[in-house]
Each structure stands twice: as structure tokens, then as C-alpha cells.
């Protein structure tokens, strides 16, 4: 059966698209037209603009396209969403928003204490990976997917903690919260280790864990997160397997594998950047020492 039966609104989320377009226009308006109102402002770079547009396009692809509907039908698609939403979009947004803007936001009295606390590396790691693991406890995931409000709240909170987790890795403010060298490498490896148990639970389970992906009544209730109730009430649906030839258990195992693969790819890219920056810094220091030796040698003649 085709997911086209859920209708245009469910498949392409025009209101969500409109919201993202509004945010994009606001982004360029604030950081081009209004930035002169702030003394410490700097011009918006092409790289920052490209990163922001990329983040918005990717966000729409995983939350506004048919992928979102499929994420409520098959756990493997859900894991693709989770990987992109929390491992790819947050670092893009952190880098896309100018640092002078971040500084003004972070230094607000109502934000500074909480931000300083939750971006502590060890706490940020534990909270992000803990929230991920907690969300994928079967009873918890099923409970949250039964309520639009609770699911939305948890998603927003989780996204903020994804930003906190990424902050020590990608921020460039020299404010004491950025990790360097081996600490950054250890941070990445630790995050990979902490996420593994949740993925392993899903991969090695011997039976379907989630009612919202296997039980017809629970699944239909969870589908209300992305499909209007009026549309669902007019459809005669018995189970999510109507839309897939893959057994629920195999789909579940695939979902755990996909999440781990996305994590490994993203962290692998970050590690490559860390080693490149490390090598570049060492090379610059070596060049400076060499130049200093040459200057000293010349001064003796």
C-alpha cells in the first residue's frame, strides 16, 4: 500500500515548510539588515549562510517530507530521523549562527547559569546519551508517541541537550568551554560508547519492542503525530506492515544498526577534522620555530 493515502498535508507538511521559510528569511534579515545595531557584530559569512540553509533543508527533509510519515511506520526510518536531527543539524546550527550572536544569547542573565552548567563536557555527554537511551525504552517511547504534546516537549528538550553536547566540540568562542586535542578525541569516543547500549538493545532484541510499530491500535494512535485525525478516521488500516515487506523485528534490528552507522560516520568526520586541525597547528608551530632559528642564525653574522 502506498503512503500517498495519507494526503498532501501529512506527506509534505506545508505549514512546517512555511515556518522554516519564515525562519530563514528572519535569519538573513537579522544578520544583514539589523547587525549594524550591535557594536560587536560582524558580517555574515557565505559559509555561515550556506550552513544555515543546509540545516533548514535537511530539517525539512527529515521532519516535513514523507520521511516523517515513514518514521512512524518503520523504526529504521525513525532512526534515520534521530541520527540526522541530533547528530547533524545541531553542529550545523551552532556554526551557522554568528559567534557574536551566541555570545549575546549566552550572556543573558536568565540563560548564562543553565548554559554554563549543561555544557560541562561530562554532564553534556551523560545527559544527551541518557535522554537518547531513556527515549528508546519501549514503554517510554510508546507512551510519548501516544501524546502529541508530550512527544513535542521531549523532542524540543532533547534537541537542546544535543546542542549542549555538541557545544564543547564545535564552538569557537575561546570562552573556556571548547575542548582541545586529546580531550576532544576522548569526548567523541566516550559519546560513541555511551550510545552503544541503547543501539545494542534494539539490534539484539529477539522480539518486537515497541507497540507503536507492531500493535495495530497503538500504531494508529501514534500516527496522529503526523497525520490529521480526520484523515486517519476515514482509512481502513490494520497494521504498519501494510506499507512494508520487511518484518517488524527485522526492521527494528535495521534501525539500531542505522543509528550506530550514522553516529560512526558523523563522529568519524569530526575526528578527521580534529586530527587535521591538530596537524595544522603542529605544523604552524614547527614553521615558527624554524623561522625563529633562521632569524637567530642570521643575527650572528
Amino acid at each position: 500500500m502506498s503512503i500517498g493515502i495519507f494526503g498532501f498535508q501529512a506527506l509534505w507538511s506545508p505549514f512546517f515548510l512555511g515556518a522554516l521559510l519564515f525562519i530563514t528569511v528572519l535569519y538573513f534579515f537579522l544578520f544583514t539588515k539589523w547587525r549594524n545595531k550591535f557594536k560587536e557584530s560582524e558580517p555574515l559569512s557565505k559559509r555561515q549562510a550556506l550552513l544555515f540553509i543546509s540545516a533548514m533543508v535537511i530539517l525539512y527533509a527529515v521532519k516535513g517530507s514523507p520521511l516523517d510519515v515513514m518514521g512512524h511506520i518503520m523504526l529504521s526510518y525513525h532512526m534515520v530521523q534521530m541520527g540526522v536531527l541530533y547528530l547533524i543539524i545541531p553542529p550545523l546550527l551552532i556554526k551557522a549562527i554568528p559567534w557574536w550572536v551566541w555570545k549575546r544569547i549566552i550572556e543573558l542573565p536568565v540563560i548564562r547559569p543553565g548554559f554554563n552548567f549543561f555544557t560541562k563536557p561530562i554532564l553534556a555527554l551523560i545527559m544527551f546519551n541518557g535522554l537518547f537511551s531513556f527515549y528508546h525504552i519501549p514503554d517510554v517511547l510508546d507512551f510519548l508517541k501516544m501524546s502529541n504534546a508530550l512527544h513535542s516537549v521531549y523532542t524540543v528538550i532533547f534537541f537542546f541537550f544535543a546542542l549542549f553536547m555538541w557545544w564543547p566540540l564545535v564552538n569557537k568562542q575561546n570562552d573556556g568551554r571548547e575542548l582541545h586535542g586529546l580531550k576532544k578525541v576522548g569526548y567523541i569516543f566516550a559519546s560513541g560508547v555511551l550510545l552503544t547500549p541503547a543501539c545494542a538493545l534494539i539490534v539484539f532484541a529477539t522480539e518486537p519492542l515497541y507497540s507503536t510499530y507492531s500493535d495495530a491500535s497503538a500504531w494508529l494512535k501514534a500516527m496522529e503525530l503526523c497525520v490529521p485525525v480526520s484523515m486517519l478516521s476515514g482509512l481502513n488500516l490494520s497494521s504498519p506492515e501494510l506499507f512494508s515487506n520487511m518484518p517488524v523485528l527485522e526492521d527494528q534490528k535495521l534501525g539500531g544498526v542505522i543509528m550506530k552507522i550514522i553516529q560512526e560516520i558523523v563522529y568519524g568526520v569530526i575526528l578527521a577534522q580534529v586530527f587535521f586541525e591538530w596537524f595544522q597547528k603542529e605544523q604552524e608551530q614547527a614553521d615558527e620555530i624554524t623561522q625563529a632559528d633562521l632569524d637567530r642564525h642570521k643575527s650572528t653574522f
Side-chain angles (χ1 to χ4, degrees):
M1 186 176 290
S2 170
I3 61 173
I5 64 171
F6 294 116
F8 178 81
Q9 182 177 337
L11 294 178
W12 297 105
S13 307
F15 296 110
F16 185 63
L17 175 60
L20 293 183
L21 290 174
F22 174 77
I23 292 172
T24 302
V25 171
L26 185 63
Y27 170 87
F28 284 101
F29 183 76
L30 288 177
F31 300 146
T32 56
K33 300 293 185 180
W34 279 13
R35 73 172 184 83
N36 293 329
K37 296 181 180 291
F38 304 97
K39 294 180 180 180
E40 69 274 32
S41 66
E42 298 176 356
L44 185 69
S45 69
K46 291 182 179 179
R47 182 172 182 269
Q48 288 170 327
L50 181 60
L51 287 174
F52 187 84
I53 292 174
S54 299
M56 293 298 101
V57 171
I58 295 171
L59 181 57
Y60 177 72
V62 296
K63 290 298 292 181
S65 75
L67 178 62
D68 188 45
V69 174
M70 288 304 301
H72 291 85
I73 295 174
M74 300 177 67
L75 190 71
S76 53
Y77 283 87
H78 165 78
M79 286 303 192
V80 172
Q81 285 184 292
M82 294 291 288
V84 174
L85 276 175
Y86 302 115
L87 296 178
I88 295 178
I89 293 177
L92 291 180
L93 287 180
I94 291 174
K95 292 185 175 183
I97 296 175
W99 297 116
W100 64 269
V101 177
W102 279 117
K103 184 177 180 180
R104 291 185 67 89
I105 294 173
I106 293 167
E107 294 303 318
L108 291 173
V110 70
I111 292 178
R112 184 170 58 246
F115 187 87
N116 289 341
F117 180 73
F118 287 116
T119 53
K120 292 179 179 179
I122 294 178
L123 182 63
L125 274 182
I126 292 173
M127 290 299 298
F128 171 76
N129 289 285
L131 285 171
F132 177 88
S133 297
F134 180 74
Y135 178 78
H136 287 97
I137 295 173
D139 289 341
V140 173
L141 186 143
D142 288 337
F143 178 75
L144 290 174
K145 285 175 72 71
M146 294 291 188
S147 170
N148 200 342
L150 289 177
H151 189 268
S152 298
V153 170
Y154 196 95
T155 299
V156 171
I157 292 174
F158 193 15
F159 188 81
F160 274 109
F161 277 96
L163 290 173
F164 296 152
M165 187 276 291
W166 278 103
W167 188 263
L169 284 174
V170 299
N171 101 82
K172 300 292 183 181
Q173 292 200 102
N174 296 318
D175 56 2
R177 284 186 285 262
E178 183 187 7
L179 295 173
H180 298 277
L182 286 175
K183 289 184 178 180
K184 188 174 285 190
V185 174
Y187 188 88
I188 295 170
F189 275 109
S191 186
V193 170
L194 289 172
L195 196 67
T196 299
C199 294
L201 171 68
I202 296 170
V203 171
F204 296 109
T206 56
E207 60 184 18
L209 297 174
Y210 306 106
S211 297
T212 46
Y213 287 98
S214 57
D215 178 75
S217 59
W219 169 67
L220 282 173
K221 180 65 178 177
M223 284 295 292
E224 294 178 9
L225 292 175
C226 62
V227 181
V229 177
S230 58
M231 173 67 71
L232 283 175
S233 62
L235 300 175
N236 184 22
L237 301 174
S238 58
S239 74
E241 293 181 272
L242 289 171
F243 302 91
S244 171
N245 293 324
M246 183 178 292
V248 175
L249 183 59
E250 297 305 312
D251 171 58
Q252 180 177 285
K253 292 178 181 292
L254 177 61
V257 172
I258 286 174
M259 184 64 203
K260 193 60 183 173
I261 289 175
I262 292 175
Q263 183 207 43
E264 295 296 333
I265 292 174
V266 172
Y267 287 174
V269 170
I270 299 299
L271 275 176
Q273 292 178 349
V274 170
F275 283 115
F276 176 77
E277 292 172 359
W278 200 355
F279 174 79
Q280 193 174 41
K281 186 176 181 180
E282 292 293 326
Q283 190 65 43
E284 290 174 355
Q285 291 177 348
D287 291 342
E288 290 175 0
I289 293 173
T290 302
Q291 186 61 46
D293 289 341
L294 288 174
D295 293 340
R296 190 163 47 250
H297 181 70
K298 290 179 181 178
S299 66
T300 61
F301 292 94

